[in-house]
């Protein structure tokens, strides 16, 4: 059977993916026409294009996915004509293809309101990667931005403007509040406040009457006789279904656009389907990706699993002369087939870093219902739930600022789960009561849809765990596809997985991998007891099989933490993580970066000159890092020893930027220069950094020392942060920057330097000995029962009586420190490994390509 | 001395031998390859990753390019096993590939090409499909 798909957007792609997954090999001949120059990409995350993702990163699947699956893909070639009688389509470039089944997935375009002046330069729509590229080019000369549309799409566009550096941006909404379709007024006020703190201006109840300017936009005139200056405008006010080609061939379309479809997504021509944002079901266009995916799934299911019965009245109403054999060609339909029955428009998303969610009926308010509202204008949190008059069932609600409970609430309302006696607990959490939060996931019925992007039920996930033996999130993703779309359900999937495993009587613990049936902490103790020194000894004694990329670096790190031997010594070199193996960080293209240690960020002019001349000699790109040192990028593998030879000769040593080990101790300039400084933060930072340099740990370690409470070293975002007080130092621990920022917590105050180092020795060694692999100190503390109070007891009050041992162990590591790069360049056996070709050691990798950028070089981007 | 470990082997240690199926070229001495690790071998314009899986007493060769991001890096990856299937993990994103079939074990469609290896008197040879030259 030959299937032609018009449109290669997210939904069109998903249809192909579902069809391939369900079909027998060679069952279908699939031809896809796409209007854009690229294969389908992730439009939902379009704004990430401005925060660093490339167009390629956003692709749903690379081009060769289509060829690998025998799909003919015509790009930059929209279908311009459908001949329903002949069952052919013709494209813009003149390609004609016949079809047995036609699927229209043309999506939508931006709705542009008929405002005089919309054609002026500087006015953009926000829809495709090309739109973004045009915006990017124009944004360089723009200062004052505006976005028409205060809905989901409009706020996404506003984020894009911020990402483009246009911080003076006004969001203009016709309705009296933001997101009028999803949230109520109070929620909208909270959202407005939050957006305003980010610098956006919000103007509601505004109707744009004219766009001002000669050829390019200079301002906007509103119907209330006000106006603003604007030199770049993005219109993101809604969508318009792309139904032109359907209309042209006489398919039924809605009054305000959209191709009319039935429950099977069939149009008025039974051989033609419409899915996604171009389809009008029950008078409604579904402008979200999840219902689009659902539609794709319905059509793919019905095409691949035809129910036995056919309904004759659904055969095509057009001239049948061309149909050879209707039974084999007309897609069979029946009562048992899948059908689309509308879609819950509940959404949860992060808008400019703010959680916004609405589910069920967010607005309902009448004599039979009750509403519970929690509002915290201080923190910018708003939660509303609507419940039945008897308090038993959840009907819908809104969450702003904190949407963690979204999945659970959505399931509770969808599945009519009886609410707890105090219904407010579901948004406020149980306060002192007996019921355990998180147990809720178990009360879901089996057919509750947990992953709505891929329509995976609770039973589907639990079965994957109990029957197919999926005991990791990755395994579940692979087996069920749950969590592979927006990813919002992953925490619930994990809960379900753990509960299912526990229910099966499995002792859930963090064993390392298939080769070691121990946790990291257990293995560390065993290795220490048996005094094992190499990876193979550890594997032979405590493991099985041949190891892998999970246990090798873990064991290598444990060995380094215990014995501090040169990590590339014979027997352990190939067990190191790939970066440790070459004592450098691999970068795009296969080159490496070099980071010499600059303790406390203090460096002499002479050393700066050495870094500069080495960088020039080896043609390296230089950049100041976040940790107050200098990173040299683009080094060929074979140049690394030569580069380090020169750096070491000038007094540098390894910065361990490649290792799970101490990176830097950042410092402010401190009392030696600063008029506010209380103590010499630089000297103390250098002392601390030199003490712990080369210390291998479960994850990287960062520190900071600030000379006063102004905290210029941002020490409270580090694994350990030290802040000067009038009487000494305050020690903060287990902070984190990165994707989940967390302030360090005060461990002890007003310490002298020696006591502080003692406490730090104990805390770091305790971390090394007890943390799970690849766990930063912040997560380690979050998981620790008793939290900071317990840690304080261990470290300060020595409640376990191990304080002295921890100090001794740390001192042994400090005393055995050697610069591993110095050892590497002095050892011919190790040095020999730094070449790209074993049989042509002098030759560099010819595939490595660089191109100029801002008077330096950059690596040519990967495909 | 290592014995030939995989597939047919050339009869002597000349630099390049062609039999029915393969052109065997001399890659390096076995001592040039780290235990349980890999090196990259240049063959005309191609790059081949060569692994000495000492623990299993086996040699493997694959393309050096990781198909995921088209990076010449597999030879620098960590090797190991998954349910006894020997595999290599790309240093970039830790995609893993079977050293026997080349199949991607991380659930992606992409696969890599594998080549037979033969070790005779401490000399390592890699077999390229005969028509590929």
């Amino acid at each position: 059977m030959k299937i032609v798909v018009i449109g290669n957007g997210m939904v069109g792609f998903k249809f192909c993916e579902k069809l391939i997954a369900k079909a027998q090999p060679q069952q279908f001949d699939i031809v896809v026409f796409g209007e854009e120059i690229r294969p389908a990409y992730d439009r939902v995350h379009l704004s990430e294009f401005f925060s660093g993702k490339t167009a390629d990163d956003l692709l749903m699947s690379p081009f060769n996915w289509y060829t690998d699956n025998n799909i003919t893909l015509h790009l930059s070639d929209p279908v311009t004509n459908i001949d329903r009688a002949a069952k052919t389509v013709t494209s813009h470039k003149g390609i004609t293809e016949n079809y047995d089944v036609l699927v229209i997935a043309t999506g939508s375009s931006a709705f542009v309101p008929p405002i005089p002046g919309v054609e002026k330069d500087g006015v953009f729509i926000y829809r495709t990667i090309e739109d973004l590229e045009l915006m990017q080019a124009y944004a360089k000369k723009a200062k004052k931005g505006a976005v028409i549309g205060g809905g989901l799409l409009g706020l996404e566009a506003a984020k894009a403007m911020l990402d483009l550096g246009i911080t003076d941006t006004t969001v203009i909404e016709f309705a009296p509040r933001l997101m009028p379709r999803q949230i109520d007024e109070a929620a909208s006020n909270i959202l407005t406040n939050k957006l305003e703190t980010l610098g956006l201006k919000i103007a509601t109840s505004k109707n744009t009457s004219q766009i001002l300017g000669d050829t390019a936009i200079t301002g906007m005139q509103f119907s209330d006789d006000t106006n603003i200056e604007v030199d770049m405008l993005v219109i993101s006010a809604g969508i318009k279904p792309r139904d032109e080609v359907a209309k042209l061939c006489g398919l039924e379309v809605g009054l305000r656009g959209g191709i009319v479809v039935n429950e099977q997504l069939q149009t008025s021509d039974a051989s033609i389907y419409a899915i996604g944002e171009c389809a009008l079901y029950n008078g409604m266009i579904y402008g979200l990706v999840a219902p689009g995916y659902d539609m794709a799934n319905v059509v793919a299911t019905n095409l691949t699993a035809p129910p036995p019965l056919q309904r004759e009245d659904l055969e095509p109403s057009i001239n049948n002369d061309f149909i050879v054999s209707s039974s084999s060609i007309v897609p069979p339909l029946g009562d048992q087939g899948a059908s689309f029955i509308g879609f819950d428009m509940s959404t949860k998303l992060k808008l400019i870093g703010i959680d916004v969610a609405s589910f069920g009926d967010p607005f309902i308010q009448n004599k039979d219902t009750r509403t519970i509202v929690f509002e915290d204008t201080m923190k910018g949190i708003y939660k509303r739930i609507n419940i039945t008059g008897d308090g038993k069932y959840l009907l819908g609600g809104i969450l702003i600022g904190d949407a963690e409970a979204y999945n659970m609430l959505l399931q509770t309302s969808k599945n009519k789960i009886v609410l707890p006696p105090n219904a407010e607990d579901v948004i406020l959490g149980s306060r002192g009561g007996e019921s355990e939060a998180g147990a809720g996931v178990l009360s879901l019925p089996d057919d509750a849809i947990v992953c709505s992007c891929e329509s995976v039920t609770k039973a589907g996930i639990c079965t994957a765990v109990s029957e197919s033996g999926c005991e990791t999130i990755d395994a579940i993703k692979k087996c069920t596809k749950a969590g592979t779309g927006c990813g919002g359900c992953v925490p619930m999937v994990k809960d379900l997985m753990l509960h299912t495993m526990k229910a099966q009587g499995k002792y859930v613990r963090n064993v390392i991998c298939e080769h070691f049936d121990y946790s990291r902490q257990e293995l560390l103790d065993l290795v220490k007891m048996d005094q094992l020194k190499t990876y193979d000894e550890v594997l032979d004694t405590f493991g099985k099989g041949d190891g892998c990329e999970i246990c090798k670096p873990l064991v290598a790190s444990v060995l380094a933490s215990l014995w501090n031997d040169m990590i590339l010594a014979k027997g352990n070199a190939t067990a190191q993580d790939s970066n440790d193996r070459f004592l450098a960080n691999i970068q795009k293209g296969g080159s490496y970066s070099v980071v010499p240690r600059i303790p406390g960020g203090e460096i002499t002019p002479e050393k700066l000159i050495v870094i500069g001349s080495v960088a020039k000699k080896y043609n390296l790109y230089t950049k100041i890092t976040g940790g107050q040192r200098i990173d040299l990028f683009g080094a060929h593998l074979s140049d690394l020893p030569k580069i380090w030879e020169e750096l070491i000769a000038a007094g540098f040593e390894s910065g361990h930027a490649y290792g799970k080990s101490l990176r830097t101790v950042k410092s402010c300039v401190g009392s030696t220069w600063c008029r506010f400084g209380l103590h010499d933060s630089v000297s103390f930072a250098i002392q601390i950094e030199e003490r712990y340099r080369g210390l291998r740990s479960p994850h990287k370690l960062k520190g900071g020392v600030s000379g006063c409470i102004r905290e210029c070293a941002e020490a409270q975002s580090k694994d350990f942060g030290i802040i000067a007080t009038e009487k000494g130092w305050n020690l903060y621990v287990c902070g984190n920057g990165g994707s989940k920022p967390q302030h360090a917590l005060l461990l002890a105050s007003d310490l002298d330097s020696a006591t502080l180092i003692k406490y730090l020795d104990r805390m770091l060694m305790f971390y090394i000995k007890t943390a799970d692999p690849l766990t930063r100190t912040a997560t380690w503390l979050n998981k620790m029962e008793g939290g900071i109070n317990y840690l304080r007891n261990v470290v300060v009050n020595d409640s376990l009586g191990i304080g002295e041992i921890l100090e001794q162990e740390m001192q042994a590591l400090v005393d055995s420190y050697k610069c591993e790069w110095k050892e590497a360049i002095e050892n011919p056996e190790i040095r020999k490994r730094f070449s790209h070709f074993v049989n042509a050691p002098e030759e560099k990798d010819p595939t490595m390509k660089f191109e100029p950028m801002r008077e330096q070089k950059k690596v040519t981007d990967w495909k | 001395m290592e014995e030939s470990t995989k597939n047919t082997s050339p009869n002597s240690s000349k630099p390049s031998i062609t039999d029915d199926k393969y052109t065997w070229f001399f890659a390096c001495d076995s001592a040039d390859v780290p235990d349980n690790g890999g090196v990259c071998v240049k063959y005309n314009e191609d790059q081949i990753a060569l692994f000495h899986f000492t623990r299993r007493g086996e040699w493997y060769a694959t393309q050096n390019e990781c198909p995921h991001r088209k990076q010449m890096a597999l030879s620098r990856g960590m090797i190991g096993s998954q349910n006894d299937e020997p595999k290599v993990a790309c240093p970039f994103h830790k995609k893993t590939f079977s050293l026997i079939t080349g199949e991607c074990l991380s659930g992606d469609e992409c696969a890599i090409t594998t080549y037979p290896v033969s070790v005779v008197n401490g000399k390592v040879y890699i077999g390229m499909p005969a028509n590929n030259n």
Side-chain angles (χ1 to χ4, degrees):
Chain A
M1 183 190 277
K2 180 159 173 188
I3 299 180
V4 172
V5 183
I6 309 179
N8 187 225
M10 294 177 79
V11 172
F13 167 80
K14 187 55 72 174
F15 170 73
C16 295
E17 193 186 64
K18 298 263 183 199
L19 193 66
I20 297 284
K22 291 170 194 283
Q24 312 294 325
Q26 271 86 49
Q27 186 182 353
F28 298 112
D29 186 7
I30 306 173
V31 178
V32 179
F33 288 90
E35 182 181 51
E36 294 188 49
I37 57 169
R38 294 181 180 79
Y41 53 87
D42 183 355
R43 230 182 277 279
V44 175
H45 296 102
L46 205 53
S47 66
E48 292 178 13
F49 183 70
F50 290 143
S51 38
K53 285 213 172 173
T54 64
D56 280 351
D57 291 336
L58 292 171
L59 287 187
M60 306 291 291
S61 267
F63 192 79
N64 58 14
W65 179 87
Y66 298 87
T67 37
D68 290 351
N69 286 293
N70 290 319
I71 296 173
T72 310
L73 177 61
H74 300 289
L75 290 176
S76 308
D77 198 12
V79 166
T80 50
N81 191 46
I82 301 170
D83 184 338
R84 288 165 53 198
K87 289 193 141 193
T88 60
V89 298
T90 306
S91 75
H92 177 69
K93 290 183 186 161
I95 300 171
T96 297
E97 294 271 3
N98 67 307
Y99 65 84
D100 297 314
V101 168
L102 182 63
V103 176
I104 305 179
T106 40
S108 65
S109 57
F111 165 68
V112 179
I115 304 167
V118 286
E119 73 293 342
K120 291 195 196 327
D121 287 351
V123 180
F124 297 88
I125 53 171
Y126 183 79
R127 194 72 193 147
T128 64
I129 288 183
E130 280 66 40
D131 295 336
L132 302 204
E133 284 169 345
L134 292 172
M135 282 170 67
Q136 212 165 21
Y138 200 86
K140 287 177 187 144
K141 49 183 181 179
K143 289 198 175 63
K144 286 182 179 296
V147 174
I148 294 184
L152 286 179
L153 293 168
L155 293 178
E156 270 287 310
K159 173 176 189 315
M161 293 292 264
L162 291 180
D163 287 340
L164 282 171
I166 306 176
T167 45
D168 184 359
T169 291
T170 308
V171 176
I172 295 149
E173 169 59 46
F174 178 72
R177 63 170 195 266
L178 292 177
M179 299 183 66
R181 286 162 63 153
Q182 289 88 6
I183 61 178
D184 63 12
E185 198 183 334
S188 170
N189 287 339
I190 292 265
L191 183 62
T192 302
N193 282 339
K194 283 211 137 188
L195 294 173
E196 280 171 350
T197 60
L198 294 170
L200 288 173
K201 294 177 191 153
I202 312 292
T204 52
S205 302
K206 283 273 180 199
N207 188 8
T208 313
S209 54
Q210 201 181 344
I211 289 165
L212 308 171
D214 291 337
T215 53
I217 179 171
T218 56
M220 294 169 71
Q221 176 71 46
F222 304 111
S223 55
D224 58 3
D225 281 342
T226 56
N227 62 69
I228 56 170
E229 276 180 38
V230 172
D231 49 19
M232 181 169 171
L233 169 67
V234 180
I235 298 179
S236 196
I239 57 168
K240 195 174 65 180
R242 295 282 305 270
D243 56 9
E244 312 91 271
V245 71
K247 216 185 271 179
L248 203 65
C249 70
L251 293 177
E252 188 186 347
V253 296
L255 268 180
R256 281 182 293 171
I259 308 164
V260 175
V261 293
N262 65 13
E263 289 187 358
Q264 276 77 31
L265 287 319
Q266 273 173 316
T267 65
S268 53
D269 179 333
S271 330
I272 304 181
Y273 294 80
I275 54 177
E277 293 179 346
C278 65
L280 183 71
Y281 172 75
N282 212 1
M284 182 149 174
I285 296 284
Y286 289 84
L288 289 175
V289 70
Y293 282 4
D294 201 31
M295 294 180 187
N297 189 39
V298 168
V299 178
T301 306
N302 285 335
L303 290 177
T304 47
L309 296 171
Q310 289 183 35
R311 298 212 310 247
E312 301 212 340
D313 57 343
L314 279 171
E315 285 193 6
S317 55
I318 54 161
N319 185 342
N320 275 10
D321 289 353
F322 294 90
I323 298 172
V324 185
S325 152
S326 62
S327 61
S328 69
I329 294 176
V330 176
L333 284 166
D335 298 330
Q336 296 158 34
S339 52
F340 182 78
I341 45 164
F343 202 88
D344 181 19
M345 291 300 274
S346 301
T347 49
K348 174 190 164 187
L349 66 166
K350 239 192 174 50
L351 276 173
I352 324 186
I354 303 165
D355 277 338
V356 177
S358 81
F359 60 94
D361 186 337
F363 302 124
I364 190 167
Q365 197 159 26
N366 58 44
K367 65 179 175 38
D368 298 325
T369 63
R370 302 280 177 272
T371 295
I372 299 174
V373 171
F374 169 78
E375 189 172 351
D376 179 347
T377 52
M378 184 80 192
K379 288 186 182 149
I381 294 172
Y382 175 83
K383 297 179 180 183
R384 163 182 174 161
I385 51 170
N386 310 314
I387 60 176
T388 50
D390 56 9
K392 273 194 174 157
Y393 301 107
L394 182 59
L395 301 169
I398 298 166
L399 304 168
I400 309 286
D402 170 14
E404 219 180 294
Y406 169 77
N407 278 316
M408 204 53 230
L409 293 177
L410 175 64
Q411 297 298 342
T412 306
S413 72
K414 261 189 180 171
N415 297 298
K416 301 217 165 25
I417 294 169
V418 178
L419 289 166
N422 298 314
E424 70 272 18
D425 286 357
V426 297
I427 47 172
L428 298 179
S430 164
R431 288 139 304 133
E434 309 248 309
S435 67
E436 184 200 339
V441 68
L442 290 182
S443 59
L444 295 177
D446 280 352
D447 58 356
I449 301 282
V450 172
C451 170
S452 41
C453 297
E454 294 287 341
S455 305
V456 186
T457 60
K458 176 190 170 191
I461 289 160
C462 295
T463 319
V465 178
S466 56
E467 317 265 302
S468 314
C470 300
E471 296 187 348
T472 63
I473 292 288
D474 279 347
I476 293 176
K477 278 185 176 172
K478 204 167 155 182
C479 175
T480 66
K481 295 214 128 199
T484 56
C486 72
C489 62
V490 169
M492 269 184 106
V493 173
K494 188 165 184 197
D495 273 354
L496 281 173
M497 176 185 87
L498 293 175
H499 281 299
T500 311
M501 287 167 69
K502 275 187 186 157
Q504 289 177 295
K506 289 195 177 160
Y507 170 44
V508 183
R509 61 186 190 131
N510 293 320
V511 299
I512 295 164
C513 64
E514 66 175 74
H515 306 105
F516 288 97
D517 204 18
Y518 299 103
S519 69
R520 179 184 174 279
Q521 183 179 352
E522 289 164 340
L523 190 66
L524 183 139
D525 289 338
L526 293 168
V527 169
K528 188 175 181 201
M529 241 176 321
D530 281 31
Q531 300 268 311
L532 302 180
K533 297 287 172 72
T534 67
Y535 174 77
D536 273 351
E537 285 170 19
V538 177
L539 185 60
D540 288 339
T541 316
F542 298 113
K544 55 177 184 285
D546 305 311
C548 68
E549 72 283 358
I550 295 167
C551 60
K552 281 186 168 182
L554 184 147
V555 170
S557 163
V558 161
L559 290 170
S561 290
L562 287 173
W563 318 121
N564 215 10
D565 292 334
M566 164 66 183
I567 60 169
L568 299 185
K570 213 165 164 52
N572 284 336
T574 53
Q576 304 295 334
D577 212 337
S578 328
N579 283 343
D580 270 323
R581 186 173 163 206
F582 296 105
L583 305 176
N585 295 50
I586 196 165
Q587 305 289 353
K588 274 185 181 177
S591 70
Y592 285 88
S593 66
V594 169
V595 188
R597 186 168 296 289
I598 302 177
E602 182 186 84
I603 186 164
T604 61
E606 289 75 16
K607 279 187 156 179
L608 274 176
I609 290 167
V610 171
I611 289 188
S613 50
V614 167
K616 267 178 101 170
K617 180 168 172 188
Y618 294 95
N619 188 21
L620 306 174
Y621 165 84
T622 52
K623 185 172 187 313
I624 311 282
T625 71
Q628 300 189 329
R629 42 195 195 172
I630 300 169
D631 205 337
L632 301 98
F633 290 83
H636 286 274
L637 185 58
S638 52
D639 284 340
L640 286 175
K642 298 179 210 161
I643 291 169
W644 275 105
E645 204 154 38
E646 298 193 24
L647 289 172
I648 286 167
F652 285 103
E653 55 183 11
S654 169
H656 297 95
Y658 44 82
K660 302 297 176 220
S661 55
L662 179 81
R663 299 289 171 83
T664 72
V665 180
K666 185 176 176 178
S667 69
C668 70
V669 74
S671 60
T672 44
W673 292 92
C674 175
R675 66 192 191 282
F676 299 116
L678 295 172
H679 307 310
D680 181 0
S681 51
V682 179
S683 297
F684 201 36
I686 293 173
Q687 187 189 345
I688 304 263
E689 181 161 342
E690 290 186 338
R691 179 168 182 81
Y692 301 121
R693 65 191 162 183
L695 177 70
R696 288 290 194 300
S697 45
H699 210 309
K700 61 188 170 189
L701 287 168
K702 297 178 178 183
V705 182
S706 280
C708 79
I709 195 57
R710 283 170 192 75
E711 242 287 65
C712 297
E714 297 163 328
Q716 287 166 98
S717 66
K718 309 296 184 197
D719 296 281
F720 56 88
I722 298 162
I723 302 176
T725 68
E726 295 281 351
K727 297 176 201 153
W729 305 100
N730 280 354
L731 175 57
Y732 295 81
V733 294
C734 304
N736 204 353
S739 62
K740 271 184 88 182
Q742 182 171 326
H743 276 139
L745 299 174
L746 184 64
L747 186 77
S749 25
D750 297 327
L751 305 170
D752 60 74
S753 303
T755 312
L756 186 142
I757 286 174
K758 183 166 92 172
Y759 288 171
L760 205 44
D761 277 0
R762 292 177 178 183
M763 175 259 167
L764 290 174
M765 208 63 216
F766 190 50
Y767 163 65
I768 288 172
K769 295 180 85 165
T770 60
D772 283 334
L774 300 180
T775 302
R776 289 290 294 270
T777 55
T779 316
W780 171 64
L781 185 69
N782 294 345
K783 284 186 185 169
M784 191 182 291
E785 252 177 71
I788 185 73
N789 289 325
Y790 178 78
L791 184 62
R792 190 179 295 116
N793 261 331
V794 173
V795 170
V796 180
N797 305 328
D798 198 9
S799 59
L800 300 179
I802 56 171
E804 207 172 317
I805 301 171
L806 294 173
E807 286 167 49
Q808 283 165 4
E809 285 170 337
M810 182 61 83
Q811 193 58 45
L813 292 178
V814 171
D815 292 341
S816 58
Y817 165 80
K818 287 192 193 112
C819 170
E820 55 205 21
W821 257 116
K822 186 161 186 292
E823 292 181 84
I825 56 170
E826 287 168 356
N827 180 330
E829 268 306 300
I830 294 176
R831 205 170 162 147
K832 186 174 105 178
R833 299 294 174 207
F834 290 85
S835 59
H836 184 69
F837 292 115
V838 67
N839 55 347
E842 297 309 312
E843 278 183 50
K844 290 169 176 166
D845 180 1
T847 65
M848 213 186 284
K849 297 266 191 301
F850 300 100
E851 52 195 63
M853 187 173 73
R854 286 190 296 276
E855 295 168 59
Q856 294 202 65
K857 69 172 180 182
K858 77 178 197 73
V859 67
T860 297
D861 220 350
W862 56 21
K863 295 282 178 291
Chain B
M1 282 277 96
E2 285 96 345
E3 287 305 316
S4 127
T5 54
K6 295 205 72 195
N7 288 25
T8 45
S9 62
N11 301 318
S12 71
S13 58
K14 284 178 201 162
S16 180
I17 307 124
T18 303
D19 59 23
D20 304 353
K21 280 172 149 178
Y22 299 103
T23 298
W24 296 89
F25 77 95
F26 170 67
C28 57
D29 290 341
S30 64
D32 292 336
V33 186
D35 285 356
N36 296 307
V39 293
C40 172
V41 181
K42 185 177 159 75
Y43 176 67
N44 299 332
E45 297 312 306
D46 288 334
Q47 300 192 15
I48 316 284
L50 171 67
F51 302 97
H52 187 188
F53 211 142
T54 330
R55 206 181 155 76
R56 298 168 71 101
E58 287 164 0
W59 289 83
Y60 300 100
T62 71
Q63 68 186 62
N64 192 34
E65 183 184 80
C66 174
H68 171 227
R69 287 294 185 183
K70 312 260 182 286
Q71 300 286 300
M72 287 296 185
L74 290 180
S75 58
R76 301 178 201 169
M78 281 178 276
I79 56 175
S81 66
Q82 178 176 327
N83 300 322
D84 209 40
E85 175 99 358
K87 62 171 183 174
V88 60
C90 174
F92 277 93
H93 303 93
K94 300 272 156 60
K95 300 261 175 203
T96 56
F97 301 90
S98 162
L99 289 170
I100 293 177
T101 64
E103 177 202 357
C104 179
L105 303 173
S106 318
D108 287 333
E109 285 87 6
C110 51
I112 56 172
T113 310
T114 59
Y115 305 96
V117 181
S118 172
V119 181
V120 179
N121 296 330
K123 308 275 176 204
V124 185
Y125 297 82
I126 300 173
M128 307 299 286
N131 57 355
N132 189 29
N133 200 7

